[in-house]
Amino acid sequence: MGKHLLLPGLLLALPLTAAWTAFNCLVTEGSRLPLVSRFFLICPLDYSLPLLALCSSVTNLTQALEAVPRGVEGLCLTGSTSVLPPDAFSHFPGLKVLGLSLRLTQLLPGALRGLGQLRQLSFMGIKMDNNLYLPSDAFGNLSSLQRLAFRGPCLEGSVGVRLPPSLRWLSVQQSCLQNVSTLANIFPDLVLGASSGDGWTLDKLDLSLNRKLKMASPGALQGLKLGTLHLDHTNMGATAVMELGLQRLEILSVVKTGKAKLPARVIAHFELQELNLGFTQIGHIAPEDLSSCHSLKSLVLGSNGLTDLPPGFLAAMPRLQRLILRDNNLQSVMLCTNEAGAESGLQTLDLSANRLHTLPPATFSCLPHLRKLLLGENQLVCLEGQVFKGLRRLETLDLAENPLVTLGQGWLAPLLALTTLNLLDTQMVLSPAWDLQGPENLHNLGLRFPSGPSGVVLSLPMRLTSLELQAVSGMEPWKLAPNVFPVLQTLTLNGWGLWLEAQSVSKIFPALRHLSLLGNSLEALCSQDTSSFLWQLPGLKQLSVRGDGHSPRPCCITGLPSLQELQLQGLQSRDRPRPVLLEELVRELPKLEVLQLSRTGLETLSATAFQGLGSLQVLVLDWERGLVLDSSLQEHSPQMPQYMYFLIVSLACKCVNAWVGPWLERSPRTYMHIVSQQLCEPETGGHSKNPLFPFLWSHCPKTLELELFLGSFALLLLLISLPFLQEARNSWILYLQALFRAWLQGLKGQRGEAKKFLYDVFVSHCREDQGWVVRELLPALEGCPPAGPGLRLCLPERDFEPGKDVADNVADSMAGSRVTLCVLSQQALLSPWCRLELHLATSLLLASSQPPVLLLVFLEPVSRHQLPRYHRLARLLRCGDYHVWPKEGENKDDFWAWLGSRLEQSRLW
């Protein structure tokens, strides 16, 4: 973690009205810990804890803790702090787990005061020569402490440190410890009870990785009652344990402690129940060494170079339930003798990674209680039909990574209780004996498609709940039979080896909840229509997609209404990489809570990407390069995911990212964590580098000032525009648009030799005056001679082009008419469209070199002040270009005579 720079985090909204700014800290919920677990490896934390924090580069402990949410129950600190002051964690009384990977040299008295709920405490040092001094009452207040671990620091300067009575696990690893007696001097409670006969009890004492540990003074741990003792990777042999004076020992682990033999005396002395001798290179087990092993329940002999097992191996350990023989050189196993009725209580047998070629029929005949059998990574070519006879209780069988070709007739029939079968990475050939229908309780199956003729239907058990299918490159897709798996919840497709009809997928997998697509071309996923089989799984909750590096375009996941977790990896084409936007990868997923992206080629992240992800809580980006964070995220931050983790991600060294630095220092409602040092190459070249945000801030001031200026200008313009909103209600925008269209039409007409008009008269009127236009005006003007002149009138409700914008219709029709006739009344002057048409006609009179004729007809008396732009109308209209329609009962001849004379002047009558 020292090489990573944890940039200032953003706000953690818990709840939304209150938050913390966490500097150099990664904050997560326990349920989300698997998403960032690799950063917590230095001090493992409990997944069940609701809120966890990892803070690095801690130099000032008080300042660092001020940025940590008070509600954390798991806390890990890394940095260079050397002294732990009194009441260092007094503001975190609810802490359950605390890990300190600091350069601590001293704990002052009362440093851990107030941590009454602390269950697990770990000290990790940078170097083994880092001496840590502990006061005698360092852990006196930790009444709930169950696990205490030291890894790295040397404790030899501490003496008489009292352990809390609740302690059950003590670990001192990778320290300067050379003699176990030194441990008793540091923690005298381990041996103080010996004189009274009441020894201290520990479930586990771990002294692993102490490379200098090779001595054990007699009685060093006199009277201590131990459940488990770990001496892995030390120079202490198993026989030295007998000299420690332990009152009880049940489990001993001496992994990689040098060449040794089976410690028969130690087993017999303590009546050990479990023994782990991995990587000790025993090579051979003498038959006489087995005589003292009758108490063992678990024996681990992995990686010991064993070539065979002595006769009566299992018979000498009647209580043995777990036997691990993984990674040896066994070419055959003779676990069962020919003695009639001889049975073993063995329940777990691991023979993986050996050199087994064949399994005789009687190999497992004496193991009726066996529940788990691991035979992967061997050289098994065929299995006889009776090889598993008698294993009626076997639940798990692993045959993966064997060159299996043929299977005997009814080979699965004896395994009545089998629930899990792994046949991945095999080379099976389809044959009449090939059958997986035997076990009725088989729920979990991993299978590589057998080679065989194309178009063959693959028969699988119907009651499967988990299925993994592995395809071979270039093989023909298989069909499944039966075509319904009613309880299948988890499906993994490694390569496209399965042929599925999109319309029937929901019927084949009605209960599917978890889907993994590994190493596929993803062509079916990238289909954006409903024929893609993925979109036929409305109940899917988890989806994991890992591409094969050959997808020509991004694969967009959308339309899954129940999806809660989505992981996309390796979608970027290695041959033709191209940058993508997040909205090209995911769209409408209304219930998505967790989104993980790795090596997808993501280049830009903007607020638009979150529009269809209303429930997103966690976004994890990993192994993405040159990322641009659009400034729209700044305004969108209240709606963004609560947690955003940028792990191995580099931000683009561009001025578009300059806003991110100041944004990180404020407190938006999202907790963002950026891992890895963000650097910018200098513009002048060379090998020196500069931190990203200070570099952008100093090199992009004009850009930032311009953005501020544009933002201020836009706000000012909006405020200035407010008084014009009333005018906007009267369609002034539409008026400008129509005026421009009319001017453009007139300009086109001037270019022609003679302008051709589509209409003779354009009639502007409101809906309330439409009756007068139809009854009086229309018959008088459109009537054929001698009743009328037969003119062509343009009426908006009749002659406007359907689907065309109204403003465009007005402008085109007015410019294409010889005369504009406006029918005015009180209602017309209140109509936005009539006012628009009158505005436009008035403007055309002023702007056109050959102004059209404008006539006004008043159906009722109207005050001149009600007319829009009255003074302008008075100047433009010649005397006599308007007339009043006579009242009811008055003579109308004068009106028609006036209208006829005006139209005659325009050569229309």
Side-chain angles (χ1 to χ4, degrees):
M1 293 295 297
K3 65 181 180 180
H4 295 302
L5 174 63
L6 304 184
L7 297 177
L10 300 184
L11 185 78
L12 174 62
L14 292 173
L16 290 179
T17 57
W20 299 267
T21 301
F23 294 94
N24 295 341
C25 292
L26 189 158
V27 179
T28 187
E29 300 174 10
S31 59
R32 311 298 188 190
L33 186 56
L35 302 175
V36 290
S37 59
R38 70 177 186 264
F39 297 103
F40 285 87
L41 292 178
I42 191 170
C43 47
L45 299 179
D46 192 346
Y47 283 39
S48 64
L49 300 179
L51 192 61
L52 311 171
L54 166 66
C55 300
S56 75
S57 303
V58 175
T59 55
N60 187 314
L61 185 63
T62 303
Q63 182 180 359
L65 292 179
E66 288 178 355
V68 178
R70 294 294 184 259
V72 296
E73 295 188 8
L75 177 61
C76 182
L77 303 176
T78 69
S80 57
T81 300
S82 59
V83 178
L84 207 59
D87 301 310
F89 304 98
S90 58
H91 296 296
F92 303 92
L95 270 182
K96 304 294 191 303
V97 179
L98 176 61
L100 302 175
S101 180
L102 306 170
R103 297 181 182 270
L104 289 177
T105 59
Q106 186 177 13
L107 262 67
L108 296 181
L112 302 174
R113 189 161 44 215
L115 299 180
Q117 300 183 38
L118 194 66
R119 299 196 301 255
Q120 182 174 334
L121 175 61
S122 303
F123 295 90
M124 287 77 67
I126 307 300
K127 298 179 180 180
M128 288 188 295
D129 57 356
N130 180 38
N131 293 311
L132 173 60
Y133 171 74
L134 301 173
S136 59
D137 61 344
F139 313 117
N141 299 316
L142 306 181
S143 57
S144 300
L145 191 66
Q146 299 177 7
R147 301 187 180 187
L148 177 60
F150 301 89
R151 182 165 184 171
C154 181
L155 303 177
E156 290 192 353
S158 303
V159 179
V161 180
R162 304 302 302 269
L163 296 175
S166 57
L167 192 69
R168 290 295 175 266
W169 285 31
L170 177 61
S171 176
V172 180
Q173 300 181 3
Q174 207 168 343
S175 70
C176 59
L177 194 63
Q178 301 182 29
N179 193 324
V180 180
S181 61
T182 305
L183 184 66
N185 295 331
I186 300 171
F187 303 109
D189 286 335
L190 297 178
V191 295
L192 279 180
S195 59
S196 61
D198 185 17
W200 191 278
T201 300
L202 284 180
D203 293 339
K204 183 177 180 179
L205 176 61
D206 192 347
L207 302 178
S208 304
L209 299 170
N210 287 290
R211 305 292 183 179
K212 299 180 180 180
L213 182 59
K214 56 184 177 180
M215 299 176 60
S217 299
L221 299 176
Q222 186 69 39
L224 180 62
K225 300 176 183 178
L226 266 183
T228 302
L229 176 60
H230 281 264
L231 295 172
D232 306 336
H233 299 272
T234 66
N235 290 317
M236 275 189 64
T239 55
V241 179
M242 297 175 57
E243 302 177 4
L244 293 176
L246 297 175
Q247 189 172 342
R248 186 188 70 194
L249 181 62
E250 297 176 353
I251 302 173
L252 176 62
S253 179
V254 283
V255 174
K256 208 167 186 179
T257 55
K259 190 173 182 179
K261 64 177 184 178
L262 194 67
R265 291 179 55 206
V266 179
I267 299 172
H269 179 77
F270 292 106
E271 293 189 352
L272 290 179
Q273 296 183 21
E274 298 184 20
L275 177 63
N276 188 348
L277 287 171
F279 293 93
T280 52
Q281 298 300 315
I282 292 177
H284 177 72
I285 298 177
E288 57 271 15
D289 291 337
L290 298 176
S291 59
S292 302
C293 298
H294 62 276
S295 62
L296 287 177
K297 294 182 180 179
S298 174
L299 178 59
V300 178
L301 295 172
S303 302
N304 272 285
L306 295 174
T307 56
D308 57 13
L309 298 176
F313 183 79
L314 288 182
M317 294 176 283
R319 302 177 61 186
L320 195 65
Q321 298 179 8
R322 177 172 173 263
L323 177 60
I324 308 299
L325 295 169
R326 180 182 177 86
D327 198 15
N328 281 289
N329 297 320
L330 299 174
Q331 298 185 15
S332 63
V333 287
M334 295 297 296
L335 295 173
C336 298
T337 62
N338 295 328
E339 299 179 7
E343 291 184 355
S344 171
L346 197 65
Q347 297 182 12
T348 299
L349 176 59
D350 187 353
L351 291 168
S352 304
N354 278 279
R355 300 182 181 181
L356 301 178
H357 289 83
T358 59
L359 295 176
T363 302
F364 310 110
S365 60
C366 63
L367 306 176
H369 303 283
L370 196 63
R371 297 179 181 274
K372 187 174 183 179
L373 178 57
L374 307 180
L375 296 170
E377 300 180 64
N378 278 286
Q379 300 176 19
L380 299 174
V381 178
C382 64
L383 293 177
E384 298 296 333
Q386 300 299 314
V387 68
F388 300 121
K389 184 178 180 180
L391 300 182
R392 292 179 172 271
R393 297 186 182 182
L394 190 68
E395 298 175 354
T396 300
L397 176 59
D398 185 2
L399 294 168
E401 298 185 58
N402 277 287
L404 276 175
V405 176
T406 59
L407 301 172
Q409 185 73 31
W411 69 288
L412 280 178
L415 305 179
L416 301 179
L418 192 67
T419 61
T420 302
L421 176 61
N422 188 352
L423 292 171
L424 297 173
D425 292 304
T426 58
Q427 301 177 12
M428 291 185 297
V429 178
L430 193 65
S431 65
W434 201 89
D435 185 15
L436 294 176
Q437 296 295 334
E440 297 181 358
N441 296 319
L442 187 62
H443 298 313
N444 308 303
L445 175 62
L447 175 68
R448 177 179 176 179
F449 286 106
S451 56
S454 59
V456 178
V457 175
L458 183 64
S459 179
L460 298 177
M462 294 178 55
R463 305 302 297 177
L464 292 175
T465 59
S466 175
L467 174 62
E468 179 175 355
L469 296 175
Q470 183 184 54
V472 181
S473 178
M475 64 169 285
E476 292 290 331
W478 286 72
K479 295 182 180 180
L480 289 180
N483 56 2
V484 176
F485 294 86
V487 295
L488 188 71
Q489 297 186 8
T490 303
L491 175 62
T492 301
L493 298 179
N494 196 335
W496 286 114
L498 190 62
W499 185 85
L500 294 169
E501 292 183 359
Q503 294 77 8
S504 61
V505 168
S506 59
K507 297 179 180 179
I508 298 175
F509 306 116
L512 192 63
R513 296 295 179 266
H514 312 284
L515 176 63
S516 298
L517 304 173
L518 311 177
N520 298 298
S521 63
L522 308 182
E523 291 300 323
L525 278 180
C526 292
S527 175
Q528 296 303 308
D529 55 28
T530 56
S531 64
S532 173
F533 87 90
L534 182 62
W535 319 135
Q536 308 299 323
L537 299 170
L540 196 64
K541 294 185 179 297
Q542 294 182 1
L543 174 61
S544 178
V545 179
R546 188 181 69 206
D548 59 357
H550 299 293
S551 297
R553 57 191 175 94
C555 182
C556 186
I557 309 297
T558 184
L560 295 172
S562 302
L563 193 66
Q564 297 178 359
E565 297 185 17
L566 174 60
Q567 182 180 19
L568 302 177
Q569 308 179 60
L571 303 187
Q572 180 80 317
S573 174
R574 291 192 292 266
D575 300 328
R576 291 177 294 173
R578 55 161 295 216
V580 299
L581 307 176
L582 182 58
E583 48 267 37
E584 294 182 81
L585 301 175
V586 292
R587 289 182 189 165
E588 293 294 330
L589 298 171
K591 292 188 178 181
L592 189 68
E593 297 179 0
V594 179
L595 175 59
Q596 301 181 68
L597 303 177
S598 177
R599 302 183 190 275
T600 61
L602 183 66
E603 182 186 56
T604 303
L605 187 63
S606 65
T608 307
F610 299 105
Q611 291 181 356
L613 308 175
S615 301
L616 191 63
Q617 299 177 12
V618 183
L619 173 64
V620 181
L621 302 183
D622 203 2
W623 295 104
E624 304 288 356
R625 297 174 57 84
L627 185 65
V628 172
L629 301 181
D630 191 87
S631 58
S632 60
L633 295 173
Q634 188 170 4
E635 292 76 20
H636 190 71
S637 61
Q639 291 78 39
M640 283 198 302
Q642 186 174 352
Y643 300 95
M644 294 178 66
Y645 299 117
F646 290 39
L647 304 183
I648 309 302
V649 173
S650 64
L651 300 183
C653 186
K654 300 178 180 178
C655 287
V656 292
N657 278 331
W659 68 274
V660 179
W663 186 51
L664 289 171
E665 298 175 359
R666 297 194 299 269
S667 297
R669 293 177 180 267
T670 297
Y671 172 80
M672 182 182 291
H673 182 76
I674 304 179
V675 176
S676 79
Q677 197 171 14
Q678 302 287 298
L679 298 174
C680 262
E681 294 286 351
E683 295 178 350
T684 57
H687 299 288
S688 61
K689 296 181 179 180
N690 300 292
L692 174 66
F693 293 129
F695 178 83
L696 293 180
W697 184 257
S698 61
H699 286 71
C700 306
K702 296 181 180 180
T703 302
L704 294 174
E705 293 172 1
L706 178 61
E707 290 178 355
L708 293 175
F709 168 77
L710 292 178
S712 302
F713 177 78
L715 179 61
L716 181 62
L717 185 61
L718 177 62
L719 295 176
I720 295 176
S721 304
L722 289 177
F724 295 95
L725 292 179
Q726 180 64 34
E727 188 67 19
R729 293 178 56 188
N730 295 327
S731 307
W732 65 272
I733 296 178
L734 294 176
Y735 160 71
L736 293 177
Q737 181 182 359
L739 179 62
F740 175 74
R741 295 277 299 177
W743 173 82
L744 187 62
Q745 291 289 344
L747 183 62
K748 291 181 178 179
Q750 293 177 9
R751 293 176 181 177
E753 295 179 359
K755 181 175 181 179
K756 297 181 180 180
F757 292 97
L758 183 62
Y759 301 103
D760 295 317
V761 180
F762 174 80
V763 181
S764 170
H765 63 280
C766 67
R767 185 180 298 274
E768 290 78 5
D769 299 333
Q770 185 176 351
W772 180 86
V773 173
V774 174
R775 291 192 309 269
E776 303 289 347
L777 188 64
L778 195 62
L781 298 184
E782 284 194 341
C784 297
L791 301 180
R792 292 171 296 171
L793 269 63
C794 177
L795 303 180
E797 66 276 2
R798 183 188 68 179
D799 300 311
F800 274 7
E801 182 179 341
K804 191 175 182 179
D805 184 75
V806 177
D808 293 342
N809 266 317
V810 171
D812 293 344
S813 300
M814 193 174 291
S817 303
R818 293 179 182 272
V819 175
T820 299
L821 177 64
C822 294
V823 181
L824 301 180
S825 64
Q826 298 288 349
Q827 294 85 353
L829 293 176
L830 295 177
S831 170
W833 289 111
C834 289
R835 293 175 66 87
L836 169 65
E837 292 165 356
L838 187 58
H839 274 306
L840 183 57
T842 306
S843 299
L844 288 176
L845 282 174
L846 184 64
S848 178
S849 59
Q850 296 180 351
V853 178
L854 173 62
L855 303 177
L856 304 183
V857 175
F858 293 93
L859 297 184
E860 57 185 343
V862 175
S863 171
R864 65 178 183 269
H865 299 293
Q866 293 179 271
L867 295 175
R869 303 183 182 180
Y870 164 73
H871 298 288
R872 188 177 185 183
L873 277 175
R875 291 195 305 269
L876 294 177
L877 293 176
R878 299 190 304 271
C879 181
D881 283 349
Y882 62 92
H883 204 282
V884 180
W885 175 253
K887 297 181 180 179
E888 188 69 25
E890 295 182 355
N891 191 356
K892 304 176 182 177
D893 293 340
D894 292 341
F895 175 81
W896 295 118
W898 165 80
L899 183 58
S901 64
R902 290 294 176 264
L903 295 178
E904 185 177 2
Q905 293 176 7
S906 301
R907 301 177 183 178
L908 295 178
W909 197 276

